[in-house]
Amino acid sequence: MLKAVILIGGPQKGTRFRPLSFEVPKPLFPVAGVPMIQHHIEACAQVAGMQEILLIGFYQPDEPLTRFLEAAQQEFNLPIRYLQEFAPLGTGGGLYHFRDQILAGGPEAFFVLNADVCSDFPLSTMLDVHRHQPHPFLLLGTTANRTQSLNYGCIVENPQTHEVLHYVEKPSTFVSDIINCGIYLFSPEALKPLRDVFQRNQQDGQLEDSSGLWPGAGTIRLEQDVFSALAGQGQIYVHLTDGIWSQIKSAGSALYASRLYLSQYQLTHPERLAKHTPGGPRIRDPEVKSQSLPSLNQMWFGVFAPRSSLLLLGNVYIHPTAKVAPSAVLGPNVSIGEGVTMGEGVRLRESIVLHGATLQEHTCVLHSIVGWGSTIGRWARVEGTPNDPNPNDPRAHMDSESLFKDGKLLPAITILGCRVRIPAEVLILNSIVLPHKELSRSFTNQIIL
């Protein structure tokens, strides 16, 4: 039997995800139409022999999380439980603290997945590698260019055996172009090194705290305390993947992850993509230039009759409850949530529109995230600047986004928080609008508090 553990962190993390994480825990933020961690759960549920999925974190088990877990258990017919840490314990502390729950039933191995990664999750392949040559730790790795590798955990491997010879978390100089994906397969023996770290932390704490109850003893960092220490000792191995992978640390990276998942839906969940049906959406390949939109002359002189079906350009997810006018043009890479309303002539591209939002007639939304229950007035334009990986470098990833440089707000995607109201005929460009704001004019390159 197998188990899976998803590390979902806590509210003290994910600060770069604000203001979107004000409304829901970051792991439940919709990416490509479903909560972020549902992609992880779906991948785990497809592994033969999976018996239980555990979520470990420091979030309070509030209503959205409880409701999600109940729905997920019914959908995947698997026990899915949330184990709340008594304090933030790091990437390894929760694994050790809940070791009895993880090992209950005697699993042959268990997956460990960080919640804030986007991937095609080659878990079955990792399991085959583990069964062919069992070791306590198997890491999923991918490649990055020399500059971006400094932002990740770097792995030096033996190219013949794939043993991890050296591991450095976010090095100051170039170490390797192989980086840690935050997806692991551990055998039960992997918990023994975590116990050693815990005991060492206890001893170190007792030197400083005579009570012997040092609270930091349970904090274990898998990357620094375990991987770096055990590298080169024949216990840690790496499996390289050339599939999709990206971190989800910020709103901009969530938009990029949505694009990756929507493209993956062509293979994994074609039913989630909006399709051409008689009288329904029309689909056009955005790469085909000959299928151009009508010219201004055609539209002006009435040569082009009003469309009776929605025009889709590329991959688009539309929730079944959303109401979208037939003259709207959507895509590529658009996700429309539950209960969204879109008026005539709306143009939407590279964007996420969340539950209950309203886009009135002829609004244009590009490279943006529209928050829950927000309203954009007629003829308004909401636009951001994408921070995509270099398309000419196959090893490029999303850069770690910083909001400011030299005291100035950097151009990035536009984010509208929950229940924001944008008036008609204004421009909101490269800005972040906090929840419950009602704007009265245009804004450019600003954080609106």
Side-chain angles (χ1 to χ4, degrees):
M1 66 171 286
L2 300 165
K3 291 191 178 185
V5 177
I6 303 174
L7 305 177
I8 66 171
Q12 81 286 355
K13 298 289 187 181
T15 54
R16 283 181 283 177
F17 213 73
R18 295 172 182 168
L20 301 173
S21 55
F22 288 156
E23 307 304 320
V24 298
K26 177 182 169 183
L28 297 185
F29 180 80
V31 177
V34 300
M36 189 185 300
I37 56 172
Q38 182 166 329
H39 298 285
H40 300 60
I41 293 173
E42 288 174 352
C44 293
Q46 292 174 1
V47 179
M50 184 63 63
Q51 295 296 314
E52 186 178 37
I53 299 173
L54 303 174
L55 277 60
I56 296 179
F58 190 51
Y59 287 101
Q60 293 295 324
D62 56 7
E63 182 184 353
L65 183 57
T66 302
R67 191 166 59 243
F68 169 76
L69 291 175
E70 291 174 352
Q73 286 193 91
Q74 291 182 353
E75 180 174 353
F76 300 106
N77 196 27
L78 267 177
I80 303 174
R81 294 189 291 134
Y82 175 53
L83 305 176
Q84 184 185 3
E85 300 171 338
F86 63 90
L89 297 177
T91 50
L95 296 176
Y96 182 72
H97 183 72
F98 294 110
R99 60 194 179 279
D100 292 338
Q101 307 259 24
I102 295 172
L103 298 181
E108 68 168 293
F110 57 95
F111 292 96
V112 177
L113 299 85
N114 283 289
D116 59 354
V117 297
C118 157
S119 174
D120 52 4
F121 299 106
L123 303 185
S124 295
T125 304
M126 293 178 68
L127 183 60
D128 292 341
V129 171
H130 171 77
R131 285 173 171 168
H132 177 70
Q133 197 172 13
H135 296 288
F137 301 90
L138 178 63
L139 282 55
L140 186 68
T142 189
T143 55
N145 60 44
R146 290 177 65 96
T147 302
Q148 291 185 323
S149 68
L150 305 182
N151 300 321
Y152 303 93
C154 292
I155 298 168
V156 179
E157 68 157 352
N158 181 321
Q160 280 76 42
T161 65
H162 303 294
E163 179 191 352
V164 175
L165 303 177
H166 188 51
Y167 184 95
V168 185
E169 184 68 17
K170 297 181 181 177
S172 56
T173 58
F174 177 74
V175 172
S176 170
D177 62 354
I178 300 175
I179 61 172
N180 177 9
C181 290
I183 300 169
Y184 317 118
L185 179 57
F186 293 171
S187 68
E189 293 76 30
L191 293 174
K192 294 178 181 177
L194 273 66
R195 178 195 61 195
D196 297 339
V197 174
F198 176 80
Q199 293 174 347
R200 185 168 64 248
N201 287 347
Q202 269 192 324
Q203 293 171 358
D204 293 343
Q206 287 172 359
L207 297 177
E208 303 176 9
D209 185 354
S210 58
S211 69
L213 299 176
W214 184 56
T219 302
I220 301 173
R221 303 165 302 173
L222 270 180
E223 300 81 7
Q224 294 94 329
D225 297 333
V226 179
F227 297 160
S228 294
L230 295 183
Q233 299 183 22
Q235 298 192 54
I236 309 178
Y237 285 73
V238 62
H239 170 70
L240 289 179
T241 178
D242 56 2
I244 65 169
W245 182 84
S246 181
Q247 284 187 327
I248 308 178
K249 297 293 187 183
S250 64
S253 56
L255 201 53
Y256 178 66
S258 183
R259 182 197 305 172
L260 295 180
Y261 278 135
L262 287 172
S263 65
Q264 193 74 7
Y265 282 173
Q266 298 276 8
L267 299 175
T268 59
H269 292 285
E271 74 282 358
R272 289 182 182 166
L273 295 174
K275 299 180 179 65
H276 174 69
T277 56
R282 291 191 298 130
I283 300 177
R284 194 192 73 171
D285 187 346
E287 300 299 324
V288 180
K289 305 299 183 184
S290 61
Q291 294 179 322
S292 58
L293 291 172
S295 68
L296 287 175
N297 286 337
Q298 287 178 305
M299 298 169 72
W300 183 261
F301 292 109
V303 177
F304 181 71
R307 283 188 287 109
S308 61
S309 61
L310 185 65
L311 180 59
L312 305 176
L313 311 179
N315 298 320
V316 175
Y317 168 85
I318 304 176
H319 193 276
T321 62
K323 298 178 181 178
V324 183
S327 60
V329 180
L330 309 180
N333 307 317
V334 162
S335 175
I336 299 173
E338 180 181 353
V340 169
T341 301
M342 290 190 180
E344 297 290 345
V346 167
R347 177 67 175 105
L348 194 60
R349 173 177 179 169
E350 297 279 355
S351 296
I352 297 174
V353 182
L354 297 171
H355 175 93
T358 299
L359 278 62
Q360 296 179 357
E361 292 83 358
H362 305 290
T363 59
C364 180
V365 179
L366 311 174
H367 303 286
S368 301
I369 297 179
V370 180
W372 299 266
S374 291
T375 300
I376 303 177
R378 300 174 63 188
W379 293 100
R381 184 180 183 97
V382 176
E383 183 174 357
T385 299
N387 184 31
D388 293 344
N390 181 357
N392 299 316
D393 183 354
R395 301 190 301 170
H397 297 280
M398 284 286 294
D399 281 319
S400 296
E401 295 176 75
S402 176
L403 285 178
F404 298 94
K405 184 177 182 181
D406 300 327
K408 297 181 180 179
L409 183 66
L410 291 173
I413 73 163
T414 288
I415 305 168
L416 306 184
C418 173
R419 295 181 179 85
V420 168
R421 295 186 66 86
I422 306 295
E425 301 180 20
V426 301
L427 168 66
I428 308 298
L429 177 65
N430 300 337
S431 297
I432 299 173
V433 185
L434 268 63
H436 307 287
K437 300 298 176 186
E438 185 166 353
L439 307 187
S440 59
R441 61 180 179 87
S442 298
F443 288 92
T444 300
N445 296 325
Q446 294 192 43
I447 297 179
I448 300 150
L449 303 175

